[in-house]
Amino acid sequence: MAARVHQFQRNTLTTFFFSNPIHKRNYPSSKRSSSLYCTCSTSKPYVITTPLYYVNAPPHMGSAYSTIAADSIARFQRLMGKKVIFITGTDEHGEKIATAAAACGSSPNDHCDAISQSYRSLWKDLDISYDKFIRTTDPKHEAIVEEFYSKVLANGDIYRADYEGLYCVSCEEYKDEKELLEKNCCPMHLKPRVSRKEDNYFFALSKYQKRLEEILEQNPDFVQPVYRLNEVQNWMKSGLRDFSISRASQTIYVWFDALLGYISALSQDQEQLSLQTAISSGWPASLHLIGKDILRFHAVYWPAMLMSAGLSVPKTVFGHGFLTKDGMKMGKSLGNTLKPNELVQRFGPDAVRYFFLREVEFGNDGDYSEERFINIVNAHLANTIGNLLNRTLGLLKKNCQSTLVADSSVAAEGNDFKDTVEKLVEKSKLQYESLLLSSACESVLEIGTAGNLYIDGRAPWSLFKQGGASFDSAAKDLVLILEAMRIIAVALSPVTPKLCLGIYRQLGYTEEQFNAATWSDTKWGGLKAGQVMAPPNPIFARIEVVAEEEGGPTVEKKVSKKKQKSPQTQSTM
């Protein structure tokens, strides 16, 4: 979502503005309204949102990254027993959409339908478990916007004045000179700004300076990570300036429209449509997950708008970083764009989800390299996790008819391995809760690493050959490893849901049992004596890279399961 303007076709709201008394620039200070920072009770749903993506072009990897991260957080919160409302969607108003539609030879409506559907299709391919998909062209959304505007206008926070400034056509936003580069170039699009003078209506943002400062001071978690909070506080030090919400030419500033999609999405299932019914369905949001380029709108403009309408502000706004490719900013002119749908088709959703959440420290910028992508996915998913499960099941089938000889709680008596797993699971839980997604992945992976070290050290394949007590000990060792795999399947499921479902099925469970799992199932002791495991079948095929010819392109392919080595002896999938 970028700063742009929204041209209302029906003129409903612009007529509303122009037919009401105009509030002058020297507006009076109003009494403090009832809107306060939210202290949500545990009974309220956990509402998480992605940006509402602008439909001037199909989804890119940055959009996919935001949504993958949001989905993993939503899945974790569901594991914790929370009722989750996961909102995503598309922003379909703006000057650039008509231009983009014309370039494609289609109407704006057809263009919006096609691009919005491309987001839905990609989210399906990436296993995104959203609950609400809002389009800002939805009549229910526009009705909520109209009611919200009326509250802001009634609060005396809109006035009319001329505006003259430097305007970025690509951003569709006026820019302060201090934000611009040399020759008045936009720092985002590196194009010169144009001077514009217009008769505008303004929102009295400066009126909320003190109250916003109080929110930031009293609730340090309102903006995360902490360095994003510092950015917002630095912006505010020079004083907040009122911003345009409509032009006399009958256009509406789109941020006043698009941001309300987070609220109108809550009303989608309501028969009686109103701002109040939407609010009562789950507002305020627990987490707005956004890119750092739209932090100001979500951490400054949006809460001021909400306070003006007498509504609570969100609990947390989290601004993540940008993605680069091979150390360079991605762009069409450089020919190095990264298309998420192509990545999913080549490598599968779990590989894409895992790499970006594991390798990008959440909040910071991150880089994609195909070589690193393949190396990480092979090492972590195929080798550390997949191979450990496969060779353990192979030993169980060969020596124990795929049947567990003891409860996992009994097999772990007096064994330090259980303590190691429990500590790592608790560590990952705290990291998920703190939005440290990369660290959570690492902690769960350490369980797999510990399992590989344990089984290599114990060498159960040799103990089985010795028979007697050694055989019994080896059989219990397999129970320990498979219990650790069961725990991994639950703890890593927010990040790699299909892979973890595959693990659960290999352990003899159904898809229904997997879907019913909660975080409490990471507690040691789930596997029971007599439980029959499925025959070993690799859950994640290793990606092989084969050079067609010297200096030529490389082609990646997944290893055929028919060519797999014996699970007892192979070291990789």
Side-chain angles (χ1 to χ4, degrees), residues 543-554:
I543 301 168
E544 296 292 340
V545 180
V546 181
E548 291 185 338
E549 58 182 54
E550 187 176 355
T554 58

Side-chain angles (χ1 to χ4, degrees), residues 32 41 47 85 114 144 170 231 247 250-251 287 291 354 363 399:
R32 182 179 296 271
S41 68
V47 178
I85 302 177
I144 294 294
S170 296
E231 290 176 20
R247 296 173 181 163
Q250 293 193 338
T251 57
L287 176 64
Y354 182 82
N399 298 283

Side-chain angles (χ1 to χ4, degrees), residues 103 139 225 266 273 307 344 353 383 389 438 498 544:
L266 294 169
L273 183 65
M307 288 189 285
V344 175
R353 291 170 64 106
N383 293 357
L389 175 64
S438 176
K498 279 191 175 179
E544 296 292 340

Side-chain angles (χ1 to χ4, degrees), residues 82-130:
K82 302 274 187 71
K83 176 187 177 183
V84 172
I85 302 177
F86 175 13
I87 296 171
T88 187
T90 47
D91 176 7
E92 303 179 15
H93 296 124
E95 290 178 323
K96 289 188 292 186
I97 291 177
T99 302
C104 298
S106 64
S107 69
N109 285 342
D110 289 343
H111 174 84
C112 288
D113 289 344
I115 300 298
S116 184
Q117 182 56 43
S118 71
Y119 276 93
R120 287 180 182 265
S121 297
L122 179 60
W123 296 169
K124 181 179 179 181
D125 291 342
L126 281 168
D127 289 328
I128 304 300
S129 60
Y130 63 85

Side-chain angles (χ1 to χ4, degrees), residues 561-573:
K561 295 175 182 177
K562 295 179 181 179
K563 296 181 180 180
Q564 294 294 324
K565 297 180 181 180
S566 166
Q568 284 86 356
T569 59
Q570 69 180 53
S571 59
T572 59
M573 287 292 291

